[in-house]
Amino acid sequence: MFDRFKRRSFLQAAVAVAATTAFGCSDDETSSDAGERYFPQSVCSGDPRPDSVVLWVRAVDPDNAGADTQVRLEVSTSESFNSLVLDQQFTAQARFDHALKVKVTNLSARTTYYYRFSINKDGQRYTTATGRTRTAPAAGDDVPVKFVFASCQDYIGRYYNAWQRLLQLDEDLDFIVFLGDYIYETTGDASFQSVDGRGVVFSEPEKALRQGTGLTAFYAANSLSNYRDLYKNLRTDKIIQRVHERYAFIITWDDHEFSDDCWGDVATYTDERANEKQTERRRNAEQAFFEYIPMDHGASAGAIDINAVVSQPTRIYRDFEFGRNLKLLVTDTRTYRPDHLIPEDAYPGAVAIVAEQLQMVLPTLPEAVQAQLQSDMFAYVDIDAPELAPYKEVLQGVYVQQAVAAGLTQEEAAAKAAHWVQGGQALLYVNQVLAAVNQARVAAGEDPIPTLPATGAPRGLAYAHMGKTGLFGMQGSRYVVVKPIFDLFAAIKYMGSTGATENIFGAEQQAWLQESVTQATNAWKIIVSSISLTSMVFKLSDKADVPDPTLRQDFYFNVDQWDGFPTKKQEFLKFLRDNQVQNAMFISGDIHASFASVESGIPALTAPAISSGSIKELAGLAVIGAGFSTGSTVYRYIVTELDKSLKEAHPGMTFVDGDAHGFVVLEVSGTEAKAAFHLIPSSEVAKDYSLRQPNELTEKFVRRDFVIRDGAITAA
């Protein structure tokens, strides 16, 4: 909402930004402030190579917004622009939302360049702020490489204090890696976003997906205009404009550039109550990304044809070389991945691994595990057996009632009941359903239905054994999954599908990645993964004070990240070890927490969110939503003592902070890497520090330093 205070706030922000950096002004015929009307998102650069870089601008004449805009691009080795290496006219086309990307070639290696765009109108020249970028060092240059990596910059109700801190530091960076969730596709989802403070209003809300009801209703981007609105709003933030003006970005996407916890072109908002394959929506999301992100696409010199990019098969994975010391391999972990191993609509009682499959791997397991898997807990029956027809009828009837209560029509519920309540059904769950039914029957004066005995029944793994308790939901499917059973289930499925169930990279990307990482001769081979490689486990199996014995187990917190691909993860890490890839390391984001860990011999660093809700905040909401009070032992282990719990469960964990925002500065040289986590408490994210004195922000930040050498991470 616009009010009188906004004008004052803007002026204060401008003064505060000027105090953090003097860079970004232009001394041309007109000031860059006057040009802001024509260049409302300022400028940015990306994908730096030794001889090229991509420059971006959005140029629009507000008096003729439907027309193409003619712009001039100047590139120079001096900030005064008295030594031009490029001076050329381009067209910002209205059909691409006036976004223009230009690949500038024939540049010198590891050289700082200045650039600006301008428009002439009515005899006046209006310019952008002056952007600064840097090309990569040449292939043989033995120079240290310093960069920042960061992720997850939700705009809704939050402020970019972390980016402001980076501007204060004025680090001499080669580039910034952004690990995904550049935008968030929703306009105020109260389950994880703030509904106070600044927000986004879609220009065409009728084309968006309306989510929720009543006062909790919000919109999710759907149309091309919706996704464009998200980028346009975010890039009007003065702080992020200054960061883009100063540093080149290398960007990959995660899920929120399209839809939360997506896989391919499939969303997860309804937890499979409905089919959410949304090919056109995905295409819209990708086009907006390609319009607004300064990405190379393997283009030749000049303006990049967005139409040509979106008409080709999607590919954003790519690699970069920065001298002798760094090979950067940017992966895509969203486009090619299969569905989550446990479907959101998985019926808890459905047996996912039958006795024959279990018997094949049982002899390879420890004796104690074998004994557990042969216990009555894992007994199941074939509900299609003729003598069990009355039981099947009862189970399907209960299913239909629950599904209709969850919002399905009678017909939809009946179809899902037929699909799920058939074949192997775990007695652990079946008898729980019967117990609930019998309570109602007894209350009505009817005879109870006998429960089914486990004696002589086969043993198998059902979704209930992995933590699934309801018909539709993320619990037990994408979040809070029983680790040992899930790992076994995943391994058996992986073998049976020749790896397809966890093929996160897709065949072509995996072949590229393996070839690139093994052939690289650079000192460091850093793999950019939007999702965190660090395992997040809550080890409650040894917590005797957890009152519910069903909760005294080990849980993965989130299997939408690499923990959801445990077999593929270990296979790829083994590939790196077997091929003796020296100084391989993963950097990642997504999970809104800071980690430094060693995963099966491979160092992994995870950046906190720039502004999105911390994992501690989200865990607290989840635990309370599950019915546990803030005084419960479950809340204590998972929320209050989150950092301690995660570290206790992971022997390779050197550092964890689950309740801070920030970024990581990483510098690599021939023998070691140095990582500096710059962190601010999550409680500060709703405060706009651009309106305050610089020292107020400085005092809120802490720094944690680590050294990575010979596969180990140690505190500096």
Side-chain angles (χ1 to χ4, degrees):
M1 180 185 296
F2 182 83
D3 58 33
R4 287 176 296 173
F5 183 70
K6 296 288 179 158
R7 171 67 178 165
R8 183 183 176 202
S9 298
F10 172 78
L11 293 174
Q12 288 176 315
V15 171
V17 171
T20 63
T21 172
F23 184 77
C25 298
S26 171
D27 295 323
D28 203 41
E29 296 94 325
T30 61
S31 72
S32 60
D33 288 341
E36 188 176 306
R37 184 167 179 257
Y38 300 91
F39 307 104
Q41 283 74 36
S42 193
V43 295
C44 62
S45 67
D47 282 15
R49 300 185 187 278
D51 62 349
S52 69
V53 70
V54 174
L55 306 180
W56 179 96
V57 74
R58 179 172 178 265
V60 59
D61 182 351
D63 299 324
N64 193 9
D68 295 346
T69 309
Q70 303 304 311
V71 297
R72 176 187 178 188
L73 169 61
E74 298 167 276
V75 182
S76 173
T77 53
S78 66
E79 192 174 356
S80 63
F81 288 91
N82 58 12
S83 54
L84 293 177
V85 298
L86 180 72
D87 187 352
Q88 191 172 343
Q89 296 287 330
F90 295 95
T91 301
Q93 299 182 57
R95 65 175 176 151
F96 299 127
D97 208 24
H98 297 96
L100 170 67
K101 298 197 291 189
V102 180
K103 183 175 180 179
V104 182
T105 59
N106 298 318
L107 301 177
S108 299
R110 212 176 204 212
T111 300
T112 296
Y113 289 92
Y114 300 88
Y115 64 97
R116 65 188 178 193
F117 293 85
S118 61
I119 182 174
N120 285 304
K121 185 178 180 185
D122 300 331
Q124 289 273 42
R125 184 182 182 204
Y126 301 96
T127 69
T128 63
T130 296
R132 183 184 72 181
T133 192
R134 177 187 288 176
T135 50
D141 289 354
D142 186 7
V143 292
V145 180
K146 182 189 286 189
F147 64 96
V148 158
F149 63 95
S151 70
C152 305
Q153 53 185 19
D154 195 355
Y155 176 89
I156 307 296
R158 300 164 187 273
Y159 296 92
Y160 296 141
N161 302 320
W163 285 136
Q164 186 176 344
R165 177 59 179 156
L166 179 61
L167 291 172
Q168 284 184 337
L169 293 173
D170 195 21
E171 290 275 6
D172 185 23
L173 303 177
D174 288 283
F175 55 92
I176 292 175
V177 174
F178 198 83
L179 298 145
D181 294 346
Y182 188 93
I183 59 163
Y184 278 69
E185 84 281 17
T186 50
T187 60
D189 181 352
S191 68
F192 73 96
Q193 290 180 311
S194 171
V195 294
D196 299 317
R198 67 181 183 180
V200 175
V201 177
F202 288 137
S203 58
E204 297 181 300
E206 71 279 4
K207 294 183 178 180
L209 299 177
R210 185 177 174 86
Q211 306 288 310
T213 58
L215 296 177
T216 61
F218 61 96
Y219 290 102
N222 180 40
S223 69
L224 180 55
S225 72
N226 294 159
Y227 282 104
R228 285 169 169 171
D229 286 343
L230 295 171
Y231 287 97
K232 279 187 285 197
N233 274 272
L234 182 148
R235 291 260 272 272
T236 58
D237 180 276
K238 300 304 173 185
I239 297 297
I240 202 168
Q241 283 186 3
R242 300 299 178 255
V243 176
H244 272 299
E245 290 163 8
R246 180 173 290 197
Y247 301 114
F249 272 60
I250 296 173
I251 300 174
T252 190
W253 58 36
D254 192 43
D255 52 347
H256 286 287
E257 286 85 357
F258 166 50
S259 193
D260 184 31
D261 285 357
C262 62
W263 54 281
D265 60 356
V266 182
T268 60
Y269 294 142
T270 69
D271 290 323
E272 297 196 70
R273 291 175 178 85
N275 183 351
E276 291 190 85
K277 184 174 178 63
Q278 299 167 341
T279 304
E280 182 178 358
R281 182 181 179 223
R282 176 84 204 195
R283 188 162 52 243
N284 291 335
E286 290 188 3
Q287 177 165 334
F289 179 89
F290 293 143
E291 288 173 346
Y292 278 83
I293 298 302
M295 185 176 161
D296 189 341
H297 308 289
S300 56
I304 295 174
D305 184 354
I306 300 298
N307 192 56
V309 172
V310 298
S311 64
Q312 297 297 316
T314 300
R315 173 172 172 170
I316 67 166
Y317 60 86
R318 59 210 191 275
D319 59 88
F320 299 84
E321 287 203 41
F322 291 87
R324 289 176 54 184
N325 289 322
L326 176 61
K327 178 82 164 185
L328 191 74
L329 302 121
V330 181
T331 67
D332 176 0
T333 63
R334 286 291 168 185
T335 302
Y336 314 103
R337 64 158 61 187
D339 192 1
H340 302 94
L341 274 167
I342 302 176
E344 288 86 357
D345 69 338
Y347 185 55
V351 174
I353 300 296
V354 296
E356 292 77 12
Q357 295 171 301
L358 191 58
Q359 287 299 325
M360 289 174 60
V361 300
L362 207 59
T364 67
L365 303 175
E367 290 185 4
V369 176
Q370 291 185 44
Q372 181 187 16
L373 293 174
Q374 292 299 306
S375 69
D376 289 352
M377 180 183 295
F378 294 91
Y380 71 92
V381 295
D382 180 1
I383 205 68
D384 293 327
E387 65 274 16
L388 298 180
Y391 289 90
K392 181 176 182 178
E393 182 179 358
V394 169
L395 292 174
Q396 288 190 338
V398 172
Y399 185 105
V400 169
Q401 285 182 331
Q402 293 177 338
V404 168
L408 275 64
T409 66
Q410 192 78 21
E411 184 178 3
E412 291 169 339
K416 280 192 173 286
H419 171 76
W420 283 112
V421 189
Q422 50 94 22
Q425 297 291 322
L427 293 181
L428 170 72
Y429 185 76
V430 169
N431 285 333
Q432 287 179 359
V433 173
L434 293 178
V437 169
N438 284 337
Q439 278 188 328
R441 290 176 66 91
V442 170
E446 301 176 16
D447 292 334
I449 303 171
T451 56
L452 295 171
T455 305
R459 268 51 174 169
L461 307 182
Y463 294 113
H465 297 128
M466 291 177 267
K468 194 73 162 62
T469 58
L471 301 188
F472 311 103
M474 62 180 71
Q475 182 178 337
S477 58
R478 304 197 308 273
Y479 296 87
V480 193
V481 171
V482 179
K483 180 185 184 301
I485 305 301
F486 179 81
D487 285 346
L488 179 58
F489 161 72
I492 294 172
K493 286 290 187 181
Y494 192 87
M495 288 187 293
S497 68
T498 61
T501 51
E502 296 183 42
N503 191 11
I504 188 171
F505 292 129
E508 291 185 10
Q509 181 178 201
Q510 180 165 323
W512 160 81
L513 180 58
Q514 291 180 336
E515 180 181 10
S516 299
V517 77
T518 52
Q519 291 188 354
T521 58
N522 313 74
W524 289 87
K525 298 85 179 173
I526 295 182
I527 299 167
V528 175
S529 168
S530 68
I531 54 172
S532 181
L533 191 78
T534 296
S535 194
M536 292 182 65
V537 177
F538 291 107
K539 191 175 179 61
L540 302 185
S541 56
D542 58 358
K543 306 300 184 186
D545 54 348
V546 172
D548 186 347
T550 63
L551 293 175
R552 289 201 289 270
Q553 304 189 72
D554 296 344
F555 294 94
Y556 281 129
F557 180 72
N558 178 0
V559 293
D560 185 63
Q561 62 172 17
W562 270 104
D563 280 343
F565 303 85
T567 324
K568 172 64 74 176
K569 172 182 172 179
Q570 293 305 322
E571 180 185 82
F572 186 69
L573 295 179
K574 183 177 184 298
F575 172 86
L576 296 176
R577 296 193 305 272
D578 289 350
N579 285 274
Q580 299 180 340
V581 178
Q582 298 299 309
N583 291 330
M585 178 164 57
F586 274 76
I587 60 173
S588 54
D590 176 58
I591 201 61
H592 308 180
S594 302
F595 298 131
S597 69
V598 177
E599 306 292 317
S600 299
I602 307 299
L605 303 175
T606 299
I610 287 291
S611 59
S612 307
S614 73
I615 196 65
K616 186 171 185 177
E617 293 173 329
L618 299 178
L621 291 173
V623 172
I624 291 173
F628 297 96
S629 70
T630 56
S632 66
T633 54
V634 171
Y635 189 93
R636 174 161 60 89
Y637 288 126
I638 294 182
V639 183
T640 307
E641 300 178 1
L642 180 141
D643 294 356
K644 178 182 177 183
S645 295
L646 291 177
K647 200 167 185 179
E648 283 181 350
H650 192 329
M653 187 89 80
T654 301
F655 171 64
V656 53
D657 188 324
D659 197 27
H661 298 301
F663 55 88
V664 184
V665 179
L666 184 62
E667 183 173 8
V668 297
S669 59
T671 58
E672 66 180 17
K674 298 178 180 178
F677 287 76
H678 294 263
L679 305 172
I680 184 172
S682 63
S683 58
E684 303 303 309
V685 74
K687 303 173 185 177
D688 186 357
Y689 276 90
S690 70
L691 306 178
R692 305 182 182 203
Q693 293 299 314
N695 67 299
E696 292 186 59
L697 180 63
T698 302
E699 292 168 356
K700 292 293 182 181
F701 267 86
V702 297
R703 173 173 170 166
R704 297 293 303 272
D705 289 274
F706 301 90
V707 175
I708 303 95
R709 181 193 286 264
D710 298 327
I713 302 175
T714 55

